[in-house]
Amino acid sequence: MTDRSTAPDAPSSSRFRRLPVLGRIEAKLLLWLVGLSGGLFGFLSIAGEVREGDTHAFDDAILRALREPGRPDDPIGPFWLEAALRDITALGGYTVLTMILVAAVAYLLLNGKRAAALLVFGAVVGGTALSNVLKVFFDRQRPDVVGHLVDVHSLSFPSGHAMLSAVTYLTLGALLARTEERFVMRAYFIGLAVVLTLLIGASRVYLGVHYPTDVLAGWCAGATWAFLCLLMARWLQHRGQVEPSD
């Protein structure tokens, strides 16, 4: 008698146990969608203002504020600050990012994660191609209201350093975070990636080679691309086409 009365409740209780899991999955999916839509909206909003020429006053004011009054070639701050930001800006250059990409792909291949290596390679190379296409499309020239403290030879919008550092460091930071169980370590990897991305972008403005809106748009575009690649990685992982993280 007791067994018959409790038997129908077993499937129901099993469904209730699955509800928290489904809730967590839906919450994560919502966060991914918020990140994607927020980054895309930010980029499109900035790009629209730039195309209409509504950002010149804002951009020029910030660039001039980072120079000594009446001396557009002389940055504010102590002498070592300029040297430090020159070093920091190199972390977002093609040479350093290529070295990091090669090291990351080699590690994944040696660890037997060929699909993951291909995904990381595709994320960074695809982000680079997208950055170059956007530069040609918007065809914005470099700032001329202040002197450039480093040599530049490409177009200005969006900032390639800001965009590619976001793509590379955020993607790798997220992948490293997935290998950790402790929240503090996951937060450390993500936080480190974000700080590096912000410092590299800020250095481009300080050095006078990018308008602030170039960097803001680069951050938005890079974060959006990184979110999209990581979302694809999760989807392929669930389908068994990408090796799961350890």
Side-chain angles (χ1 to χ4, degrees):
M1 186 70 176
T2 304
D3 291 337
R4 284 196 302 270
S5 62
T6 57
D9 292 335
S12 177
S13 61
S14 177
R15 285 196 298 271
F16 280 127
R17 285 195 297 269
R18 289 198 297 269
L19 284 178
V21 177
L22 293 175
R24 287 195 297 270
I25 293 174
E26 291 174 356
K28 289 182 179 179
L29 180 60
L30 179 61
L31 288 175
W32 283 100
L33 293 177
V34 168
L36 281 171
S37 58
L40 184 60
F41 175 77
F43 176 80
L44 293 176
S45 298
I46 296 169
E49 295 293 321
V50 168
R51 289 297 293 266
E52 293 174 4
D54 296 336
T55 64
H56 282 304
F58 169 78
D59 285 327
D60 291 353
I62 292 181
L63 287 173
R64 289 194 177 99
L66 295 173
R67 294 293 187 268
E68 294 292 343
R71 291 184 289 175
D73 294 331
D74 189 9
I76 61 173
F79 72 93
W80 55 262
L81 181 60
E82 179 183 344
L85 289 176
R86 285 175 183 266
D87 293 338
I88 289 173
T89 207
L91 297 176
Y94 284 122
T95 301
V96 173
L97 292 182
T98 299
M99 293 173 62
I100 292 174
L101 174 62
V102 170
V105 169
Y107 166 77
L108 291 170
L109 289 175
L110 291 172
N111 207 25
K113 298 182 182 295
R114 291 177 294 177
L118 181 60
L119 221 159
V120 170
F121 180 82
V124 176
V125 173
T128 303
L130 178 61
S131 173
N132 291 328
V133 169
L134 291 173
K135 282 180 178 289
V136 172
F137 178 78
F138 288 99
D139 193 25
R140 191 185 198 187
Q141 299 303 312
R142 297 281 179 165
D144 56 5
V145 296
V146 296
H148 298 169
L149 303 182
V150 291
D151 293 331
V152 288
H153 306 285
S154 62
L155 296 169
S156 192
F157 185 93
S159 166
H161 276 64
M163 180 173 174
L164 296 181
S165 62
V167 170
T168 304
Y169 293 120
L170 291 180
T171 299
L172 294 179
L175 290 176
L176 287 171
R178 287 173 60 80
T179 66
E180 293 289 339
E181 295 183 357
R182 291 185 297 164
F183 173 79
V184 66
M185 293 305 301
R186 294 198 300 269
Y188 171 76
F189 284 126
I190 297 297
L192 182 60
V194 170
V195 168
L196 280 173
T197 300
L198 294 178
L199 285 175
I200 291 167
S203 73
R204 303 304 283 174
V205 179
Y206 181 87
L207 296 171
V209 294
H210 273 298
Y211 294 108
T213 46
D214 295 339
V215 171
L216 291 173
W219 283 335
C220 290
T224 302
W225 183 257
F227 266 109
L228 185 62
C229 292
L230 290 168
L231 186 61
M232 182 178 296
R234 290 175 65 89
W235 179 69
L236 291 174
Q237 190 178 89
H238 287 308
R239 290 172 57 90
Q241 297 177 16
V242 173
E243 302 88 348
S245 57
D246 295 332

